[in-house]
Amino acid sequence: MSKSKPRPRRWLRALLGLFLVGLLAVGGGAFWLWQQYLAFVDAPVAGLSAETDVILQRGDGLRRVLQRLEGVGLETGREELWRLLAREMNVGGRIQAGEYRLPANATPRELLQQFADGRVLQRAFTLVEGSSFRELRLALTQAEALEQTLPGLDETEIMRRLDAEGVPAEGRFLPETYYYTRGMSDLDVLRRAKRAMDRVLDRAWANRQPDLPLKSADEALILASIIEKETGIGGERREVSGVFIRRLRIGMRLQTDPTVIYGAGESYRGVITRTHLDTDTPWNTYTRDGLPPTPIAMPGRAAIEAAVDPAPGDALYFVASGDGGHVFSRTLQEHNRAVARWRQIERSRRAGQ
């Protein structure tokens, strides 16, 4: 009696069953991995509950980026999930170097997009209206993460490096807020500020009133610096400009205290004295005719525009009013009365202290 052969159908059923079981296992594993991926990409990164700064270097790959994130306290989790996300977003080779401020509760997707877009940390440096070049240099040394290249250089060398050899540095930088990133230098900030001042001054000079007693845009800048130091009230700048322009027209000395103070340098201790007024310096407009040889501060846009667009009128004098503004007078007699009132206000103020 011959042995019966196994039926092929049973083997086929067994193989098919094993295949289906394997397929279900693979599918289940893939589904589980996909669920993990979805939960990972749009969930806040652990450890990023507050803003955090991180620096990525040129040439950093994804693995090195994750190491840097871990170095600032983030729990990055599984590297393969980050790689899958980077592949999906097509950002793996587009991560840009720089200093980044990571927002609190950012997700992996948001972080990779930030790195790919190069949205690096921007810091602000503000040039204050009315500051001197010496004060500007000091402020630059205190700017965070700004490369320091100016210490040890004199004004002449600094201006040479700014392609302005022979030009005085005082007043040549526009007071504004400038944004910079780690790796930029103090000279970079100065270069931008000088270019900004050149543009503003050129535009103002092109739109100046006709027949001004100013020979050049440089003279307009000098006058603007005096206006800047005389008043911080927007509505007075053109009035102050008008007084100085009328004095220049008739050959009357400007007699403005801020120029005396600038020329006095370190000898000025907060109170202007008769000795200061009588001591001749290139900037003393009580002892010398016309404008001083250089600006005495950094004027803002409004002061520059006022210098070339003075208000009409006949006032030749002004003095502090005691309430933050000024009293403008046509004659010396009127001016002396205004000065007497101001002195009385000052005496009363000191007595009340």
Side-chain angles (χ1 to χ4, degrees):
M1 184 172 179
S2 63
K3 295 181 179 180
S4 61
K5 296 181 180 180
R7 296 181 180 179
R9 290 182 179 178
R10 290 182 179 178
W11 285 105
L12 287 175
R13 288 197 198 102
L15 288 174
L16 182 59
L18 289 173
F19 175 76
L20 290 175
V21 169
L23 187 60
L24 288 173
V26 171
F31 178 77
W32 174 79
L33 183 61
W34 181 247
Q35 290 298 109
Q36 271 202 324
Y37 175 74
L38 293 178
F40 161 78
V41 296
D42 293 317
V45 175
L48 192 53
S49 58
E51 285 188 342
T52 303
D53 294 350
V54 66
I55 299 174
L56 304 185
Q57 302 290 351
R58 189 179 303 276
D60 278 355
L62 184 59
R63 175 169 295 177
R64 186 61 178 138
V65 168
L66 297 181
Q67 290 173 349
R68 295 193 187 281
L69 293 179
E70 292 169 356
V72 295
L74 277 63
E75 300 175 20
T76 57
R78 298 168 58 182
E79 182 180 331
E80 58 265 29
L81 296 178
W82 286 91
R83 292 198 176 280
L84 185 59
L85 175 61
R87 191 174 299 113
E88 176 200 335
M89 298 175 63
N90 192 30
V91 300
R94 296 194 291 116
I95 292 176
Q96 300 187 42
E99 182 181 22
Y100 292 87
R101 176 151 293 168
L102 312 179
N105 300 316
T107 67
R109 186 186 300 276
E110 291 168 340
L111 292 183
L112 285 186
Q113 194 63 60
Q114 182 179 0
F115 300 153
D117 292 343
R119 285 183 272 119
V120 296
L121 175 60
Q122 299 272 342
R123 287 184 168 84
F125 178 78
T126 300
L127 274 64
V128 180
E129 294 177 348
S131 296
S132 67
F133 184 63
R134 179 181 60 82
E135 292 168 330
L136 168 57
R137 291 192 65 173
L138 178 60
L140 283 169
T141 65
Q142 299 169 351
E144 184 181 17
L146 189 64
E147 182 183 352
Q148 301 295 319
T149 65
L150 300 182
L153 301 182
D154 61 18
E155 175 183 317
T156 300
E157 176 60 19
I158 291 172
M159 296 307 288
R160 187 189 69 79
R161 295 189 182 193
L162 293 173
D163 299 321
E165 189 168 4
V167 177
E170 195 67 78
R172 295 289 169 173
F173 306 95
L174 185 69
E176 277 190 353
T177 295
Y178 298 90
Y179 292 92
Y180 66 93
T181 60
R182 182 178 290 273
M184 291 183 64
S185 72
D186 43 14
L187 194 66
D188 293 328
V189 174
L190 283 187
R191 184 173 288 106
R192 290 168 58 194
K194 183 184 179 301
R195 288 173 179 169
M197 176 61 85
D198 290 344
R199 289 192 297 268
V200 169
L201 184 59
D202 288 347
R203 189 180 306 116
W205 184 247
N207 295 319
R208 68 189 182 278
Q209 286 187 14
D211 303 322
L212 291 177
L214 301 173
K215 299 175 183 177
S216 65
D218 286 351
E219 289 197 351
L221 182 65
I222 294 170
L223 179 57
S225 73
I226 298 173
I227 296 168
E228 187 67 70
K229 296 299 287 187
E230 282 285 8
T231 183
I233 299 176
E236 284 190 349
R237 290 191 180 98
R238 295 183 64 238
E239 295 291 336
V240 170
S241 177
V243 169
F244 290 139
I245 288 294
R246 284 186 285 276
R247 285 192 170 210
L248 289 171
R249 280 197 174 115
I250 65 176
M252 184 177 178
R253 287 179 176 172
L254 299 184
Q255 296 183 317
T256 169
D257 291 356
T259 62
V260 177
I261 293 170
Y262 184 83
E266 294 183 1
S267 70
Y268 176 71
R269 293 291 186 270
V271 177
I272 194 166
T273 66
R274 173 52 59 182
T275 300
H276 288 130
L277 297 176
D278 293 341
T279 300
D280 182 53
T281 74
W283 292 271
N284 189 337
T285 54
Y286 282 83
T287 62
R288 299 202 179 193
D289 298 334
L291 292 164
T294 70
I296 60 171
M298 293 186 296
R301 293 173 184 265
I304 294 170
E305 291 169 358
V308 297
D309 186 28
D314 53 10
L316 288 172
Y317 307 87
F318 64 90
V319 67
S321 62
D323 59 2
H326 292 84
V327 176
F328 294 84
S329 303
R330 182 177 58 86
T331 67
L332 182 58
Q333 291 77 11
E334 292 175 359
H335 177 62
N336 287 337
R337 289 194 292 270
V339 170
R341 286 194 297 272
W342 173 76
R343 287 175 176 166
Q344 183 177 3
I345 291 171
E346 283 295 291
R347 284 194 296 269
S348 299
R349 182 181 62 82
R350 293 193 187 99
Q353 287 180 345

